[in-house]
């Protein structure tokens, strides 16, 4: 085999440009969780229903997941830097609308627009990094830094939110996006070279429509079934989405200009990495909302104090990324990804033991262990996806990876959050003091914030027993959600280890060198 000359190494300009690209990746990920701390303030001012509150949290991830592949494919054709700049404008404008929302419906719409903007940002950043760093070691380092920013965003969101809420209106958690988008619009044209498919094909409009028709009905159906139980209309939504997914796959295999080469999923390194990434984000995002709510309600910590306690989780994610980047040079991906998922699962099981009177340090220690595993898994999964896909499909491949992550995050928040709520409601049945009346009982049995609102208006002899029951019920739901997340992550870890057992570090290196 003829060996080509070593690829050129990146200069200071590329590294500075990468620093600029990391910011939107961090924000796109952070906006999945930044509302965790602000939820009580939004609830008090906009008074959303329980369903509206979930949509405020979920719609961002749903919109982003539904459009990532489409936006990544468009970026491959029109230019990834151009797509990045368009996304910066959309994301900044939607942030302003969200910050000044005057109703729950307006905030839900603004969050949907934010998701659309984020769908143009996320795949552009990772695909541009691929084209900027041709040297194998430099690319691995750059992907590790990007992954640290993207995965840390879930943990950083509540921290930033808590710091801002101590001094400003809840809309500040959105306005912080605006100066970053302005910086991106100014710096990107100066530091980042345009990158696109050298042989662009026509845009697959039908494929884009089918991808949306596949993703959104399935998410909606699952979300509503978890909330309300099995109903014919929800099953019809899921069935319609599955049918659309089948049509999408068939279309991608037969069209001359597919959005993404479906044959990539025949590679174990690609498909197993997608599933592993989706699973850890599913479990982590769902637990993130529950953990922050637990700290602020059951444990009684103020937003700023809760934010500071989340710092070890960020450090855990960074430690996982660093460990994966170093160990990947000599250890098989199968062992590292399986180990990362096992570490993450152990963190979930640890968190499932938390009780209302547990020390916050116990909760954070388990959650930090969880994020170490997430950092390891996400770094390796991202590198494997980019290594498997050809350079001209970098945007679509990046978008597929991020679609799995965002889809997992949105489903995690909806499914694990609603599972915890279901356990809470089941436990609270018949345990609310009867002297609170029918309205008070209904409110207290629905959600923990509702029980706390009722307790504030009740006399001490009733509020104490009500809060004790409510905190115990929420802790039970929290523990069940953590246990389900741990079992899911552990199971996927075993499957990923088997699927990737034939991939070696040398094979990854050679694939990168001969792109």
């Amino acid at each position: 085999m003829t060996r080509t000359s070593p690829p050129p190494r990146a200069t200071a300009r590329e590294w500075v440009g990468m620093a600029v690209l990391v910011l939107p990746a961090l924000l796109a990920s952070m906006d999945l969780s930044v509302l965790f701390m602000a939820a009580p303030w939004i609830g008090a001012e906009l008074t959303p229903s329980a369903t509206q509150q979930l949509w405020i949290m979920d719609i961002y991830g749903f919109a982003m997941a539904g459009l990532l592949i489409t936006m990544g494919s468009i970026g491959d054709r029109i230019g990834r830097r151009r797509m990045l700049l368009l996304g910066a404008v959309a994301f900044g404008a939607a942030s302003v609308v969200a910050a000044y929302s005057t109703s729950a419906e307006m905030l839900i719409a603004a969050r949907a627009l934010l998701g659309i903007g984020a769908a143009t940002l996320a795949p552009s950043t990772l695909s541009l990094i691929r084209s900027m760093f041709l040297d194998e070691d430099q690319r691995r380092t750059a992907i590790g830094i990007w992954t640290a920013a993207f995965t840390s965003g879930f943990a950083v969101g509540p921290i930033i939110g808590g710091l801002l809420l101590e001094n400003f209106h809840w809309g500040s958690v959105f306005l912080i996006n605006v100066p970053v988008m302005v910086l991106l619009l100014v710096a990107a044209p100066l530091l980042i070279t345009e990158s696109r498919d050298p042989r662009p094909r026509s845009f697959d409009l039908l494929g884009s429509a089918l991808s949306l028709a596949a993703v959104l009905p399935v998410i909606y159906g699952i979300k509503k079934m978890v909330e309300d139980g099995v109903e014919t209309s929800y099953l019809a939504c899921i069935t319609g989405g599955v049918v659309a997914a089948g049509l999408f796959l068939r279309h991608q295999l037969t069209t001359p200009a597919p959005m993404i080469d479906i044959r990539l999923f025949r590679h174990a390194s690609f498909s197993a990495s997608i599933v592993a990434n989706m699973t850890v984000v599913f479990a982590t995002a769902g637990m993130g909302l529950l953990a922050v709510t637990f700290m602020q309600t059951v444990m009684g910590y103020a937003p700023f104090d809760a934010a500071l306690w989340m710092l070890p989780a960020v450090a855990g994610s960074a430690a996982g990324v660093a460990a994966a980047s170093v160990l990947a040079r000599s250890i098989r991906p199968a062992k590292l990804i399986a180990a990362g998922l096992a570490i993450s699962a152990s963190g979930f099981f640890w968190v499932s033991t938390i009780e209302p009177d547990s020390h916050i340090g116990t909760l954070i220690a388990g959650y930090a262990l969880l994020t170490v595993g997430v950092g390891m898994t996400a770094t390796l999964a991202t590198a494997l996806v980019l290594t498997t896909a050809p350079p001209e499909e970098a945007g679509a491949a990046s978008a597929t990876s991020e679609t799995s992550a965002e889809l997992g995050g949105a489903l995690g928040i909806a499914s694990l959050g609603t599972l915890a709520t279901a356990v809470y409601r089941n436990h609270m049945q018949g345990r609310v003091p009867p002297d609170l009346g029918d309205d008070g009982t209904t409110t207290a049995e629905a959600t923990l914030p509702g029980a706390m609102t009722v307790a504030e208006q009740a006399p001490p002899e009733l509020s104490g027993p009500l809060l004790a029951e409510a905190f115990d019920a929420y802790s039970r739901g929290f523990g069940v959600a953590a246990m389900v997340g741990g079992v899911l992550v552990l199971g996927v870890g075993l499957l990923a280890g088997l699927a990737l057992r034939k991939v070696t570090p040398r094979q990854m290196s050679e694939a990168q060198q001969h792109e």
Side-chain angles (χ1 to χ4, degrees):
M1 181 183 294
T2 303
R3 182 168 292 274
T4 59
S5 59
R9 293 178 62 83
T11 64
R13 177 185 175 185
E14 280 76 27
W15 287 108
V16 175
M18 193 209 67
V20 173
L21 291 176
V22 162
L23 290 175
L26 176 65
L27 287 179
S29 170
M30 193 177 77
D31 265 44
L32 269 174
S33 61
V34 72
L35 288 188
F36 291 176
M37 293 289 186
W41 279 263
I42 293 173
E45 183 171 325
L46 303 183
T47 61
S49 66
T51 300
Q52 287 176 326
Q53 196 165 28
L54 280 174
W55 276 115
I56 289 171
M57 294 290 180
D58 296 342
I59 192 64
Y60 172 84
F62 290 169
M64 186 177 180
L67 289 170
L68 270 168
I69 295 178
T70 295
M71 297 303 183
S73 181
I74 293 174
D76 286 341
R77 289 160 172 77
I78 71 170
R80 293 150 191 157
R81 188 183 70 178
R82 178 181 297 177
M83 203 66 183
L84 180 74
L85 297 177
L86 291 173
V89 173
F91 197 82
S95 297
V96 174
V97 175
Y100 294 104
S101 293
T102 55
S103 67
E105 293 82 0
M106 183 177 177
L107 182 55
I108 291 171
R111 289 278 287 171
L113 293 174
L114 271 171
I116 295 172
T120 66
L121 288 173
S124 299
T125 58
L126 189 54
S127 54
L128 283 168
I129 286 175
R130 174 180 179 137
S131 66
M132 291 161 61
F133 296 92
L134 304 179
D135 178 79
E136 174 198 346
D137 291 333
Q138 288 187 323
R139 178 182 292 175
R140 185 187 297 117
T141 301
I143 291 175
I145 294 172
W146 183 93
T147 304
F150 194 71
T151 57
S152 296
F154 295 111
V156 171
I159 295 173
I160 298 298
L163 295 175
L164 291 172
L165 289 168
E166 285 290 316
N167 301 289
F168 304 104
H169 180 260
W170 60 262
S172 60
V173 301
F174 296 109
L175 290 178
I176 193 174
N177 297 334
V178 176
V180 177
M181 293 300 105
V182 172
L183 173 63
L184 182 62
L185 289 169
V186 172
L190 301 176
L191 297 171
I192 300 169
T193 304
E194 183 60 279
S195 168
R196 60 167 58 88
D197 185 346
R199 295 179 297 277
R201 297 159 292 181
S202 60
F203 178 66
D204 184 9
L205 185 60
L206 177 58
S208 175
L210 288 173
S211 69
L212 280 172
V215 172
L216 297 182
V218 170
I219 296 175
Y220 176 80
I222 293 174
K223 172 181 168 57
K224 297 302 290 183
M225 283 179 60
V226 174
E227 290 177 13
D228 306 329
V230 178
E231 294 186 12
T232 303
S233 59
Y234 304 153
L235 289 174
C237 282
I238 295 173
T239 302
V242 172
V243 171
L247 293 174
F248 173 78
L249 294 176
R250 181 179 178 182
H251 176 70
Q252 294 301 293
L253 289 170
T254 56
T255 182
M259 295 175 65
I260 185 169
D261 187 357
I262 298 299
R263 291 171 296 181
L264 289 172
F265 284 94
R266 296 175 182 171
H267 297 278
S269 57
F270 190 89
S271 55
S273 299
I274 292 292
V275 173
N277 204 28
M278 180 176 180
T279 303
V280 293
V281 178
F282 171 94
T284 307
M287 286 307 299
L289 175 58
L290 295 174
V292 170
T293 303
F294 191 92
M295 286 189 287
Q296 291 189 84
T297 54
V298 177
M299 294 183 166
Y301 281 85
F304 179 76
D305 296 327
L308 292 180
W309 275 105
M310 289 296 289
L311 287 173
V314 179
S317 179
V321 169
S325 299
V326 173
L327 296 175
R329 300 170 184 172
S330 56
I331 300 178
R332 287 177 178 269
K335 293 181 179 179
L336 287 179
I337 288 184
L341 289 167
I343 291 171
S344 183
S346 66
F348 279 105
F349 295 141
W350 182 328
V351 169
S352 72
T353 66
I354 300 299
E355 298 180 353
D357 57 352
S358 297
H359 190 274
I360 190 173
T362 306
L363 170 61
I364 296 302
Y367 196 73
L369 183 64
L370 183 158
T371 60
V372 170
V374 171
M376 288 182 62
T377 303
T379 300
L380 293 165
T382 303
L384 284 169
V385 167
L386 287 183
T387 300
T388 305
E392 62 271 14
E393 295 183 14
S398 301
T400 303
S401 175
E402 287 156 26
T403 296
S404 70
E406 299 301 333
L407 185 59
L411 283 174
I413 292 173
S415 302
L416 294 184
T418 309
L419 173 62
T421 299
V423 174
Y424 171 89
R425 291 174 177 173
N426 182 66
H427 183 76
M428 288 295 287
Q429 293 293 324
R431 287 183 166 85
V432 178
D435 294 339
L436 291 173
D438 292 341
D439 290 342
T441 298
T442 301
T443 302
E445 287 179 349
T447 63
L448 176 58
M452 296 178 70
T453 300
V454 173
E456 290 176 356
Q457 301 169 353
E461 62 271 17
L462 296 178
S463 63
L466 172 61
L467 287 177
E469 290 290 354
F471 289 163
D472 182 55
Y474 190 84
S475 299
R476 290 171 182 265
F478 183 61
V480 169
M483 183 62 68
V484 169
V487 171
L488 179 64
V489 168
L490 188 61
V492 171
L494 294 174
L495 294 176
L498 292 173
L500 297 170
R501 64 188 182 277
K502 295 182 180 180
V503 182
T504 66
R506 176 172 293 182
Q507 286 173 329
M508 290 181 62
S509 299
E510 290 176 351
Q512 288 179 323
Q513 289 171 355
H514 292 288
E515 291 170 348

